[in-house]
């Protein structure tokens, strides 16, 4: 048996048979309550509803047992017991599948429907409880006991207020529900009995059978009304929420429909005026794709994405995202290469034209190009030009591009912290774009440019991944033939790209990344080289940029040398170019004002226009014991430093270190001090006396931080000189690491340090024996005028460095 139901199923009651509209009065309620029911009742199971006393419902009779029961009862008293099933899906319920509380009912009318089924109209009379089942065939019969309502004082105001609340909530639900006819409100208003009002509303609730059965089994009318009020409140809240959602959806749909119709009208107008721009764009994509030299795999991806674009609504956001993706896809130089010109003589000529000096570097680049010419395969090591700022690393890349006839692109990696800058963003993100590698290839218009990865040592680490790890795939010849960009979502071949990285500090490069690079050291220039670079490159370039001719500005070699030595402090020529530019601007100002001036820059002009000079790297002599000249490496090239030490007798053996020294340098001082104590007799010293001395070691220019082990022998020599009162030989400098056993170990940056020594007019240099090979790699012209002493032990340093006589 399956009664019709909805949120409130009043449709089943409001029909042409108006006699069934239940307009109950309080007298009707009393009559129903007093009515007696048989002790034994045939039971009719209901599947999806619960019958309440006084309520009229139609049910469709379909099961054989039910049809038999209805036929038998219609010939007799027409009274049956109606009881709900615990499981509505059960077609053949047993006694255990029925609730124990039901409602006695009278069959009012039986109707035969056009489809051959039977519908009976029943009205609930009185609640009962099943005491025992008497039979199950041909239908259920049970012995029942009647259940009466508990007495409640209905005259209380609280009871009236409760019933009014139930009525108001029901009326609101009727008004807001589109499935309940407005006539249902009339039916509710005509119900006078509070009990029947509750039964009528509960019967028509669209709630589970278990909840309705719970209401039926409550015998106290006040408790039943409270429970119903709670259910109605929840029902109203759900209904209001549904209506709110439907209202918003309707507004969105109306807006979309309006946009769709406007778009269709605009499309018709455009077709009348001579073509649809959307169709033209799609056709343009297809035509551009015909000229592409891509693989079958890439073509398949493009065709799939183009087909997707054709299905999208042009007014939607996805259309513009997809169109931008395809536009980028087509802009890339798939399979497009410039022809290589591996003319090594031309390459040598270009490199010499653009760069003065750097012979070793240019030789290594030519070797690299020679291998590529013979092998015709780009799976070669990735070059990394490493050196201080301003020595021409980036411009070397430009020269290589010109020499080989390739396109040139540069990508600065300084401060890069997001992996997506390399691999790109997924195209689903707003404002997504490919990574900078793919963007640079798009800009170059070829798949084999000379690609400069500038400042690779300055790649950062951030919360969005590690860019240096993403570069591993880019720079690995075994992997970059299938580079995956998140935006493209298809592999791109980078194996023909000539990558050249530049760096200032190799130690800052991730080890795995550094392992993929072939390091070419681009060291600093000598003063003579800087003078020639200024004459051949810097001055002509700035004259051209300032609109001056060669006769408007002249600078002699001594003037340029003075600028280098007193106004710059660098291994490269960047600051030198700035100083020359300032002098050229002064010349331009004189010409613009039509003033008389001297075309030849004099030393006095330098003071006038650049301010007073500051001599750097100046040797300070050997007038005092305890002062030694050391050689150091800095980010801007080589430099000299002075280690000063003083000994205070009658102290407590305290060692003081000043001059912004780092931990490694402090440790070198401790090692030197301990070695001197352990080997005091070799220097004609008394170890016990040393214990009584307060010793102070200072390295001037205290605002500059200093660290590293290379000052070890310098500190040791300064201490030995101060303790023995023996001065250091004239114009001597040194560099090397020391150990407690007295060994002198090799250090790095030898070429930069030697250049610094030459600038300071040093004549003698002490190095570790293991640094002899480093000196051998340096051009002879840098070594001219220098004498080298190679040592293996700290005692040898003393022998070479200190004079025999005491001060």
């Amino acid at each position: 048996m399956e009664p019709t139901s909805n949120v409130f199923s009043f449709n089943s009651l409001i029909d042409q048979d108006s006699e069934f509209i239940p307009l109950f009065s309080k007298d009707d309620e009393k009559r129903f309550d007093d009515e007696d029911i048989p002790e034994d009742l045939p039971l009719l199971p209901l599947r999806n509803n619960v019958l309440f006393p006084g309520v009229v419902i139609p049910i469709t009779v379909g099961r054989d047992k039910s049809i038999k029961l209805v036929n038998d009862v219609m010939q007799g008293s027409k009274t049956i017991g109606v009881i709900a099933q615990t499981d509505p899906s059960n077609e053949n319920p047993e006694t255990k599948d029925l609730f124990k509380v039901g409602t006695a009912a009278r069959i009012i009318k039986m109707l035969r429907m056009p489809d051959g089924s039977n519908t009976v109209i029943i009205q609930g009379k009185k609640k009962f409880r099943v005491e025992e089942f008497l039979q199950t065939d041909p239908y259920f019969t049970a012995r029942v006991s009647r259940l009466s309502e508990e007495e409640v004082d209905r005259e209380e105001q609280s009871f009236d207020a409760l019933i009014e609340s139930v009525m108001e909530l029901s009326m609101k639900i009727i008004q807001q529900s589109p499935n309940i006819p407005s006539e249902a409100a009339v039916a509710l208003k005509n119900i006078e009995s509070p009990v029947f009002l509750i039964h009528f509303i509960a019967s028509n609730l669209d709630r589970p059978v278990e909840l309705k059965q719970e209401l039926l089994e409550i015998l106290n009318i006040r408790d039943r009304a409270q429970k119903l009020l709670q259910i109605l409140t929840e029902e109203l809240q759900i209904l209001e929420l549904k209506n709110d959602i439907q209202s918003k959806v309707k507004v969105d749909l109306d807006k979309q429909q309006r946009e769709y119709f406007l778009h269709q009208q605009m499309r018709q107008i455009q077709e009348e005026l001579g073509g649809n721009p959307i169709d033209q764009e799609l056709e343009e994509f297809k035509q551009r794709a015909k000229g592409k030299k891509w693989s079958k795999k890439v073509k398949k991806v493009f065709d799939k994405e183009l087909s997707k674009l054709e299905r999208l609504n042009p007014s939607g956001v996805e259309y513009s995202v997809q169109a931008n993706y395809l536009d980028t896809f087509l802009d890339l130089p798939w399979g497009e290469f410039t022809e290589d010109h591996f003319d090594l003589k031309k390459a040598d000529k270009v490199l010499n034209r653009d760069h003065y000096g750097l012979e070793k570097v240019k030789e290594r680049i030519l070797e690299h190009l020679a291998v590529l010419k013979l092998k015709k395969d780009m799976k070669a090591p990735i070059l990394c030009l490493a050196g201080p700022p301003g020595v021409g690393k980036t411009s070397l890349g430009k020269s290589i591009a010109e020499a080989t006839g390739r396109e040139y692109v540069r990508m600065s990696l300084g401060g890069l912290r997001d992996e997506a800058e390399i691999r790109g963003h997924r195209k689903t993100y707003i404002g997504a774009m490919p990574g900078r590698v793919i963007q640079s290839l798009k800009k170059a218009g070829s798949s084999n440019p000379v690609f400069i990865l500038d400042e690779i040592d300055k790649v950062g680490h951030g919360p969005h991944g590690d860019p240096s790890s993403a570069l591993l795939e880019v720079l690995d010849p075994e992997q970059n033939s299938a580079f995956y960009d998140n935006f493209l979502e298809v592999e791109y071949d980078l194996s023909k790209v000539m990558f050249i990285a530049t760096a200032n500090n190799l130690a800052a490069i991730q080890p795995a990344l550094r392992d993929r690079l072939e390091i070419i050291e681009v060291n600093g220039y000598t003063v003579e080289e800087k003078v020639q670079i200024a004459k051949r490159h810097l001055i002509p370039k700035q004259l051209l940029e300032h609109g001056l001719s060669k006769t408007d500005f002249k600078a002699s070699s001594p003037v340029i040398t003075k600028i280098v030595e007193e106004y710059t402090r660098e291994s490269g020529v960047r600051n030198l170019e700035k100083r020359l530019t300032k002098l050229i601007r002064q010349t331009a100002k004189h010409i613009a004002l039509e003033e008389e001036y001297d075309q030849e820059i004099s030393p006095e002009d330098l003071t006038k226009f650049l301010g007073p000079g500051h001599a750097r790297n100046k040797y300070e002599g050997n007038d005092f014991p305890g002062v030694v000249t050391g050689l150091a490496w800095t980010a801007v090239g080589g430099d000299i430093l002075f280690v000063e030490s003083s000994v205070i007798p009658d102290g407590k053996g305290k060692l003081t270190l000043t001059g912004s020294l780092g931990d490694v340098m402090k440790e070198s001082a401790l090692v030197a001090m301990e070695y001197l104590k352990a080997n005091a007799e070799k220097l004609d010293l008394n170890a016990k006396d040393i214990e009584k001395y307060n010793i102070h070691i200072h390295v001037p220019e205290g605002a500059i931080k200093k660290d590293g082990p290379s000052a070890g022998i310098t500190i040791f020599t300064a201490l030995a000189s101060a303790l023995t009162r023996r001065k250091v030989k004239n114009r001597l400098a040194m560099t090397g690491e020391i150990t407690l056993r007295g060994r002198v170990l090799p250090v790095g940056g030898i070429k930069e340090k030697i250049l610094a020594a030459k600038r300071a007019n040093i004549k003698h240099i002490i190095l570790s024996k293991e640094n002899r090979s480093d000196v051998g790699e340096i051009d002879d012209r840098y070594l001219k005028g220098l004498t080298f002493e190679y040592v293996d032990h700290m005692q040898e340093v003393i022998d070479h460095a200190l004079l025999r006589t005491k001060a």
Side-chain angles (χ1 to χ4, degrees):
M1 314 308 144
E2 196 165 338
T4 306
S5 64
N6 209 309
V7 180
F8 272 98
S9 55
F10 292 107
N11 289 319
S12 62
L13 305 173
I14 310 298
D15 56 17
Q16 68 273 19
D17 297 317
S18 60
E19 61 180 308
F20 299 133
I21 297 179
L23 307 176
F24 254 58
S25 65
K26 294 182 179 179
D27 294 335
D28 295 329
E29 178 190 334
K30 187 173 186 310
R31 179 169 55 81
F32 268 65
D33 195 50
D34 293 341
E35 189 170 328
D36 200 8
I37 59 173
E39 186 178 346
D40 297 337
L41 280 176
L43 299 183
L44 179 65
L46 283 186
R47 294 169 63 178
N48 289 317
N49 207 352
V50 174
L51 180 65
F52 286 82
V55 177
V56 177
I57 61 172
I59 58 176
T60 301
V61 181
R63 290 187 281 209
D64 292 340
K65 285 186 177 183
S66 301
I67 294 172
K68 173 68 174 168
L69 183 149
V70 170
N71 289 334
D72 289 353
V73 171
M74 287 297 290
Q75 297 174 9
S77 65
K78 296 186 180 181
T79 300
I80 60 174
V82 178
I83 197 162
Q85 293 181 201
T86 57
D87 182 7
S89 63
N90 194 341
E91 288 288 342
N92 298 299
E94 299 178 5
T95 56
K96 63 182 177 62
D97 300 319
L98 303 176
F99 286 105
K100 300 303 180 184
V101 175
T103 304
R106 179 173 174 272
I107 299 177
I108 298 174
K109 183 181 287 189
M110 181 174 178
L111 303 172
R112 188 169 295 278
M113 307 307 290
D115 60 357
S117 63
N118 296 317
T119 297
V120 294
I121 309 296
I122 61 174
Q123 183 176 31
K125 296 291 184 181
K126 187 73 178 176
K127 297 180 187 179
F128 66 80
R129 182 185 300 278
V130 175
E131 299 298 339
E132 64 173 316
F133 286 95
L134 302 176
Q135 67 177 42
T136 57
D137 289 315
Y139 43 77
F140 292 109
T141 304
R143 180 158 290 130
V144 301
S145 59
R146 61 179 284 175
L147 296 174
S148 299
E149 292 283 344
E150 295 179 1
E151 290 296 327
V152 173
D153 185 1
R154 301 187 185 182
E155 300 301 325
E156 291 183 358
Q157 288 185 347
S158 59
F159 182 79
D160 290 339
L162 182 61
I163 300 301
E164 282 295 325
S165 298
V166 171
M167 175 68 84
E168 288 177 8
L169 279 177
S170 302
M171 299 298 285
K172 286 182 180 179
I173 292 174
I174 292 170
Q175 290 172 3
Q176 295 207 21
S177 175
N179 301 317
I180 302 176
S182 58
E183 292 87 346
V186 178
L188 284 180
K189 289 178 181 178
N190 282 286
I191 299 175
E192 297 179 0
S193 167
V195 174
F196 181 70
L197 176 67
I198 292 168
H199 289 173
F200 181 72
I201 295 170
S203 177
N204 289 284
L205 279 174
D206 185 17
R207 286 294 187 171
V209 170
E210 292 82 359
L211 190 58
K212 292 184 178 183
Q213 182 69 25
E214 183 183 346
L215 285 169
L216 180 69
E217 294 180 5
I218 298 173
L219 299 181
N220 187 298
I221 183 64
R222 184 188 293 275
D223 294 343
R224 198 180 316 142
Q226 288 280 10
K227 181 68 175 176
L228 180 61
L229 186 64
Q230 177 187 341
I231 296 170
L232 290 174
T233 302
E234 293 175 359
E235 195 75 37
L236 181 60
Q237 290 174 349
I238 294 172
L239 194 57
E240 287 175 344
L241 185 59
K242 285 182 179 178
N243 289 341
D244 186 44
I245 293 170
Q246 289 172 358
S247 173
K248 290 179 180 177
V249 171
K250 184 175 184 300
V251 170
D252 291 341
L253 285 175
D254 288 346
K255 183 180 178 182
Q256 290 180 11
Q257 289 170 350
R258 180 174 176 274
E259 289 176 353
Y260 174 77
F261 287 126
L262 287 174
H263 177 73
Q264 291 299 319
Q265 290 175 357
M266 186 171 66
R267 186 172 183 176
Q268 291 295 329
I269 293 170
Q270 288 169 345
E271 288 178 355
E272 290 292 331
L273 293 174
N276 186 342
I278 301 301
D279 293 338
Q280 290 176 356
E281 184 179 36
L282 293 172
E283 184 60 30
E284 181 187 346
F285 283 157
K286 292 176 183 177
Q287 292 300 322
R288 289 169 64 188
K290 288 180 181 178
K292 287 295 175 183
K293 303 174 185 178
W294 46 33
S295 64
K296 291 181 180 179
K297 182 179 179 181
V298 176
K299 185 178 186 303
K300 182 179 178 182
V301 172
F302 175 79
D303 291 341
K304 178 183 175 183
E305 297 295 334
L306 183 61
S307 175
K308 180 180 177 181
L309 180 68
E310 291 174 334
R311 296 193 301 269
L312 291 174
N313 181 0
S315 62
V317 177
E318 285 188 8
Y319 183 89
S320 60
V321 172
Q322 188 71 3
N324 176 57
Y325 169 75
L326 289 174
D327 192 41
T328 303
F329 205 94
L330 288 165
D331 282 341
L332 290 175
W334 300 93
E336 298 177 19
F337 306 101
T338 54
E339 185 178 351
D340 288 328
H341 302 292
F342 288 123
D343 186 343
L344 298 188
K345 291 182 179 179
K346 178 187 175 184
D348 186 36
K349 185 177 179 181
V350 170
L351 290 172
N352 285 321
R353 181 198 70 196
D354 296 342
H355 298 85
Y356 183 82
L358 303 178
E359 301 303 330
K360 292 280 186 183
V361 177
K362 289 187 281 190
E363 182 182 349
R364 180 62 191 88
I365 291 172
L366 289 174
E367 290 173 0
H368 184 73
L369 296 178
V371 172
L372 296 179
K373 179 180 180 179
L374 296 175
K375 196 178 179 186
K376 293 184 172 62
D377 183 359
M378 283 308 300
K379 285 187 177 180
I382 309 299
L383 298 182
C384 177
L385 305 176
V391 294
K393 300 184 295 297
T394 305
S395 59
L396 274 169
K398 284 186 180 180
S399 299
I400 294 171
E402 182 183 345
T404 57
R406 296 191 177 201
E407 297 295 330
Y408 170 83
V409 287
R410 172 183 167 274
M411 182 172 79
S412 178
L413 300 175
L416 201 68
R417 294 182 177 274
D418 190 349
E419 181 188 354
E421 292 282 344
I422 306 296
R423 294 189 183 277
H425 301 82
R426 300 203 177 277
K427 62 181 178 181
T428 50
Y429 293 116
I430 296 173
M433 61 180 66
R436 291 172 63 185
V437 174
I438 296 297
Q439 288 184 52
S440 297
L441 292 180
K442 174 183 169 183
K443 176 183 174 183
S446 106
S447 291
N448 66 335
V450 172
F451 200 125
I452 304 297
L453 297 169
D454 215 3
E455 312 288 1
I456 198 170
D457 56 322
K458 295 176 180 61
V459 175
H461 300 273
H464 304 293
D466 183 4
S468 60
S469 297
L471 283 171
L472 295 177
E473 183 184 2
V474 175
L475 299 180
D476 191 336
E478 300 299 326
Q479 298 181 46
N480 63 11
S481 60
F483 174 68
Y484 185 86
D485 186 275
N486 292 328
F487 181 82
L488 289 182
E489 295 182 340
V490 65
E491 294 172 348
Y492 195 94
D493 185 3
L494 300 178
S495 62
K496 300 294 188 292
V497 178
M498 184 186 290
F499 288 105
I500 299 175
T502 72
N504 298 130
N505 183 11
L506 292 175
I509 303 175
Q510 182 187 357
L513 184 58
R514 188 168 64 243
D515 186 55
R516 286 163 170 77
L517 305 174
E518 179 169 343
I519 309 299
I520 299 178
E521 292 192 3
V522 185
N523 297 307
Y525 300 106
T526 62
V527 174
E528 294 78 12
E529 286 176 331
K530 290 182 180 182
V531 170
Q532 292 302 317
I533 291 169
K535 285 187 171 183
R536 298 186 186 192
H537 299 286
L538 303 183
I539 293 176
K541 173 187 172 186
Q542 291 303 324
L543 288 175
L544 181 64
E545 290 184 1
H546 289 79
L548 303 179
S549 66
K550 292 182 180 179
T551 58
D552 293 330
F553 178 90
K554 295 178 182 179
S556 63
S557 295
V559 169
I560 299 174
T561 301
K562 186 176 177 65
I563 295 173
V564 171
E565 292 180 343
E566 297 186 15
Y567 292 91
T568 66
R569 184 183 184 182
E570 59 179 346
S571 290
V573 292
R574 195 164 286 158
N575 286 323
L576 173 60
E577 184 175 16
K578 290 178 183 177
R579 301 295 180 268
L580 291 170
T581 301
K582 187 170 183 179
L583 294 174
I584 291 172
R585 284 200 303 269
Q586 288 292 334
T587 300
K589 186 180 104 175
H590 289 312
I591 294 174
L593 293 173
E594 299 181 356
E595 297 174 347
E596 290 188 4
Y597 73 99
D598 189 356
Q599 287 90 347
E600 184 79 33
I601 297 294
S602 66
E604 292 74 20
D605 291 331
L606 297 182
T607 305
K608 180 180 177 182
F609 298 134
L610 301 181
H614 302 281
R616 307 280 185 181
N617 300 331
K618 187 176 180 181
Y619 178 70
E620 296 183 357
N622 65 331
D623 297 333
F624 303 97
V627 179
V628 183
T629 305
L631 299 176
W633 181 94
T634 70
V636 294
D639 201 353
I640 66 170
L641 55 80
F642 303 98
V643 176
E644 303 173 347
S645 60
S646 65
V647 176
I648 305 170
D650 301 325
K652 297 181 180 179
K654 182 180 178 183
L655 176 64
T656 304
L657 303 171
T658 57
S660 296
L661 307 186
D663 291 339
V664 177
M665 208 163 176
K666 290 177 181 177
E667 289 170 2
S668 295
L670 293 175
V671 171
M673 195 69 220
E674 293 303 316
Y675 179 81
L676 279 170
K677 290 177 183 178
N679 298 272
E681 66 278 2
K682 293 181 181 180
L683 296 172
D684 297 328
L685 296 173
N686 189 325
K688 293 182 179 180
D689 292 339
I690 296 176
E691 292 286 352
K692 298 176 183 178
Y693 296 157
N694 282 350
I695 299 176
H696 188 161
I697 298 175
H698 176 68
V699 182
E701 298 188 54
I704 301 173
K705 291 187 178 298
K706 311 166 191 73
D707 203 2
S710 65
I713 62 171
T714 312
I715 296 172
F716 167 71
T717 305
L719 288 171
S721 174
L723 289 168
T724 61
R725 308 304 297 167
R726 293 164 60 185
K727 292 192 291 185
V728 179
K729 290 180 180 178
N730 191 33
R731 300 207 174 274
L732 179 140
M734 61 188 70
T735 181
E737 183 179 354
I738 59 175
T739 71
L740 276 174
R741 293 178 296 157
R743 290 213 43 215
V744 179
L745 302 181
V747 291
I750 295 300
K751 181 180 178 182
E752 288 85 353
K753 292 175 180 179
I754 289 175
L755 290 177
K758 279 188 71 70
R759 287 195 294 269
N761 202 20
I762 297 292
K763 301 299 182 183
H764 309 283
I765 298 176
I766 297 177
L767 298 173
S768 167
K769 281 185 179 179
E770 295 180 43
N771 280 126
R772 187 190 294 269
S773 58
D774 297 312
V775 176
E777 293 179 0
I778 299 173
D779 197 308
D780 289 340
R781 57 182 168 169
Y782 298 144
L783 308 178
K784 187 177 180 181
L786 292 174
T787 303
F788 293 92
E789 300 291 348
Y790 300 103
V791 299
D792 188 48
H793 198 274
M794 291 159 66
Q795 187 61 43
E796 297 176 58
V797 177
I798 299 299
D799 295 339
H800 288 296
L802 299 185
L803 298 172
R804 296 294 179 186
T805 57
K806 295 185 179 182

